[in-house]
Amino acid sequence: MSEIEIVRNLRDEVPHRPDVHAEERRLLAEIRGGSPSPGRRPARLAFRPRWGLALAGAGLAAGAVVAVQAGGIGEPRDRPTVAGPSADRPPSAAAVLENAALVAARAEAADIRPDQWVYRKESQHFPHGDLPTFEMWARMDGQRTAVREEGGELKIGKGEKGPMNPATAQRDVDALPTDPDALLAHFRGMERDMTPLSICQPDCPAGTETDVKAFGTIGWYLKFGPMIPPEKTAAMYRALAKIPNVRIEENATDGDGRPGIGVVLDLGPAGKGYYILDARDYRYLGTKVVTGDDTAAMSVLGSGVVDEPGQTP
């Protein structure tokens, strides 16, 4: 069974033939209690959300940069506090991401049993309105998946068979190199794009395609938080610093208005991709894409490891 079939079984609003714009209009009409005006088509979205990721959730275990402990995104045990960039001088991507890597490397690796579930709560924001906040659980052995929309009932289904399957993802993560240069080369050379939100595909500026792929893939893996060993999380942050056009934007905000440090892949008029990190400890808060006047964002509101679906950390 494909990822979109799993999503369709668990989330009623996913159509048989996904049309992002039409579905967005329908969902917003339901949320607001109205209906879209007949014959009126909203402006074309500059971003391209991926259905298996944007509507069903990007990956299985939403991540925090340093919260690899089972406590997840709340207040992990012995979480180090790191000062944010100095206001006296512009921060460099190399310095900020090296600090993030050092903090990640100090974290304790999670010991997750095959019968436990990785949990994430996520919000999704698009130019024409927001989609319902949802919670997602995935069993570590990859056999089962569960979804619950805000105010809705828990729906449990079969596990994914694609890259969103925790067992598959764990094998992929175990095979990743820890050298930042080798890791970046690996991500640039991947055949498929793995990204929560597309920045510019398929219209990226010439010569930036592999950089966009690597940037997006790193974000995909960061959302698996508790499943990624500390040394590989650190390598991902060091690899990010090696991508051209990556810079730091202070006082950035995620889709829910939470302030943080923006790690930005800036492609000029083609768009900007952001990862928002907590300025105190580099905890991952979410991602967003800005293209022209349009912004799409996905925020991680909670994460961790639990013993059964329906539980929260």
Side-chain angles (χ1 to χ4, degrees):
M1 185 176 291
S2 68
E3 292 175 17
I4 193 63
E5 288 171 329
I6 294 291
V7 173
R8 190 182 300 119
N9 288 340
L10 296 180
R11 299 195 70 177
D12 295 335
E13 76 273 19
V14 179
H16 182 67
R17 294 179 179 269
D19 178 338
V20 172
H21 308 310
E23 186 62 18
E24 192 177 63
R25 294 194 300 273
R26 187 181 70 79
L27 288 173
L28 291 173
E30 291 180 0
I31 294 169
R32 293 169 178 167
S35 60
S37 300
R40 182 176 180 182
R41 182 182 181 88
R44 179 180 181 272
L45 301 184
F47 63 92
R48 301 168 184 84
R50 296 176 180 271
W51 273 85
L53 311 181
L55 292 185
L60 294 163
V65 175
V66 300
V68 297
Q69 302 97 329
I73 202 169
E75 293 295 333
R77 301 183 302 275
D78 302 322
R79 182 167 70 189
T81 299
V82 180
S86 170
D88 298 329
R89 57 185 178 182
S92 72
V96 171
L97 289 167
E98 178 60 23
N99 282 344
L102 292 172
V103 172
R106 290 173 54 190
E108 181 181 355
D111 183 13
I112 311 174
R113 300 191 313 269
D115 65 332
Q116 288 185 301
W117 298 64
V118 287
Y119 164 82
R120 179 181 76 256
K121 181 177 181 180
E122 186 173 293
S123 64
Q124 304 169 17
H125 309 276
F126 297 99
H128 297 289
D130 300 341
L131 295 180
T133 297
F134 73 93
E135 298 170 285
M136 188 172 186
W137 293 259
R139 190 169 146 130
M140 273 299 297
D141 61 9
Q143 298 300 308
R144 306 289 281 173
T145 301
V147 170
R148 179 171 64 197
E149 287 189 355
E150 191 169 32
E153 64 180 26
L154 183 69
K155 298 181 181 181
I156 302 176
K158 294 180 180 179
E160 302 283 353
K161 290 189 177 180
M164 293 171 65
N165 183 293
T168 301
Q170 189 66 69
R171 288 193 298 270
D172 292 344
V173 168
D174 289 343
L176 293 176
T178 55
D179 176 78
D181 291 307
L183 186 63
L184 185 57
H186 173 76
F187 288 154
R188 282 173 166 159
M190 293 179 65
E191 292 186 2
R192 71 182 165 201
D193 290 330
M194 298 174 67
T195 178
L197 290 173
S198 176
I199 301 172
C200 55
Q201 295 94 333
D203 303 316
C204 298
T208 67
E209 295 89 349
T210 59
D211 292 338
V212 172
K213 183 188 294 184
F215 186 87
T217 302
I218 289 171
W220 160 268
Y221 278 111
L222 288 176
K223 292 177 72 67
F224 283 79
M227 293 171 53
I228 301 183
E231 68 275 10
K232 297 195 177 182
T233 302
M236 290 180 194
Y237 277 93
R238 291 180 173 123
L240 271 178
K242 295 176 177 288
I243 298 176
N245 300 311
V246 167
R247 61 179 179 81
I248 298 300
E249 183 176 307
E250 296 183 276
N251 303 314
T253 57
D254 69 0
D256 288 78
R258 296 178 297 177
I261 300 170
V263 181
V264 188
L265 176 59
D266 190 345
L267 299 176
K272 299 179 189 176
Y274 285 74
Y275 298 132
I276 309 299
L277 311 180
D278 190 294
R280 300 167 302 167
D281 55 15
Y282 304 105
R283 176 167 52 90
Y284 177 88
L285 300 179
T287 183
K288 69 179 181 181
V289 169
V290 178
T291 307
D293 295 330
D294 288 338
T295 299
M298 302 168 71
S299 301
V300 174
L301 305 177
S303 69
V305 179
V306 297
D307 291 331
E308 60 184 47
Q311 288 185 342
T312 57

